[in-house]
Amino acid sequence: MAERGRGWARAVRGLLLDVSGVLYDSGADGGVPIAGSAEAVRRIKASGLKLQLCTNETQATRENFVRKLRAMGFDVSVAQVTAPAPAACRLLRERGLRPHLLVHDDLVPEFAEINKTNPNCVVLGDAAENFTYANLNKAFRLLIGMEKPVLISLGKGRYYKETDGLKLDVGAYMKALEYACDVQAEVVGKPAKRFFESALAELGVPPEQAIMIGDDIVNDVGGAQQCGMRALQVRTGKYRPSDENHPEVKPDAYVNNLAEAVDIILQEL
């Protein structure tokens, strides 16, 4: 059961949910829902609580991502998804940046309206099989050749869980390019404060009335708490028992899964 009492569950108007590791475990076959998660989403919506998915998913456009979730039984819409690629496109337009993309093939359509000629920055996402030496070296050469290199990363996760085990995430490759080019990446996805603030704005709820639920102790829980939200860690997805001894981040509660969190929150409404 959840720890540290249930005060964290009170006065809630909206929930931000991580997706991979909370709603489902991804995999080569599309992934599988985590037991009870689809019903939990239905109960959230029926309760009148506001709901926003806050994800670092960068292997698909939001449209295809939502199509996959709906096929798994999740009643969600594109408008309910806050994801890094649209945020990165806004940033690129604001600053007149032309990206070289090192991202998953299925994410490229998100950047269709962005000028990519004569790149003056690199955008890095979870490129999966595209993380070859040749592709990383091309990104390195572009950055090292810039007077003021700009590296934009669609997240900084270390790893995530798929159905066949843990997989290296974009943060590991981001760190390699940072080190090689002596540059500090600008992170667009979680745990960036601006990203959480954007999700809260889309949710339409102030941080003190929102709860973030995720499986990543640093990017989900720590990032949300820095924005003034309460945050729970589920014991699904990439969760590991050692997370409960993290030296810096302490969730407002641990829950076994999303369904348990929703049970407790709805009891307090």
Side-chain angles (χ1 to χ4, degrees), residues 51-214:
L51 172 68
Q52 192 75 13
L53 306 184
C54 188
T55 178
N56 272 2
E57 168 63 45
T58 58
Q59 289 195 7
T61 63
R62 282 185 302 166
E63 288 76 10
N64 286 340
F65 184 53
V66 166
R67 191 175 295 116
K68 179 173 76 171
L69 289 175
R70 293 183 70 86
M72 291 185 192
F74 295 101
D75 181 16
V76 295
S77 65
V78 172
Q80 290 176 305
V81 178
T82 302
C89 288
R90 286 194 296 271
L91 184 152
L92 293 167
R93 290 192 187 96
E94 288 168 6
R95 291 167 53 184
L97 293 170
R98 304 179 304 277
H100 168 71
L101 300 176
L102 180 45
V103 301
H104 197 282
D105 290 342
D106 292 342
L107 190 70
V108 171
E110 289 274 20
F111 296 88
E113 304 302 317
I114 299 294
N115 181 7
K116 296 178 280 294
T117 59
N118 190 23
N120 58 2
C121 72
V122 169
V123 171
L124 190 68
D126 180 11
E129 283 72 22
N130 284 345
F131 276 136
T132 62
Y133 177 81
N135 286 342
L136 281 164
N137 203 52
K138 183 175 181 180
F140 159 73
R141 285 178 171 176
L142 283 166
L143 288 168
I144 205 74
M146 296 175 189
E147 184 178 346
K148 293 183 179 179
V150 176
L151 174 61
I152 297 167
S153 187
L154 307 182
K156 61 181 292 187
R158 295 178 297 159
Y159 55 86
Y160 58 95
K161 184 184 177 185
E162 289 199 342
T163 50
D164 63 347
L166 299 178
K167 301 290 179 73
L168 278 176
D169 205 350
V170 63
Y173 303 95
M174 179 195 85
K175 287 293 185 182
L177 290 173
E178 282 186 330
Y179 177 68
C181 302
D182 195 22
V183 62
Q184 182 78 40
E186 300 176 43
V187 179
V188 174
K190 297 177 291 188
K193 187 174 182 181
R194 181 177 176 180
F195 188 70
F196 277 109
E197 288 171 346
S198 177
L200 284 167
E202 291 171 339
L203 189 67
V205 169
E208 63 273 11
Q209 295 180 345
I211 292 178
M212 173 72 196
I213 303 175

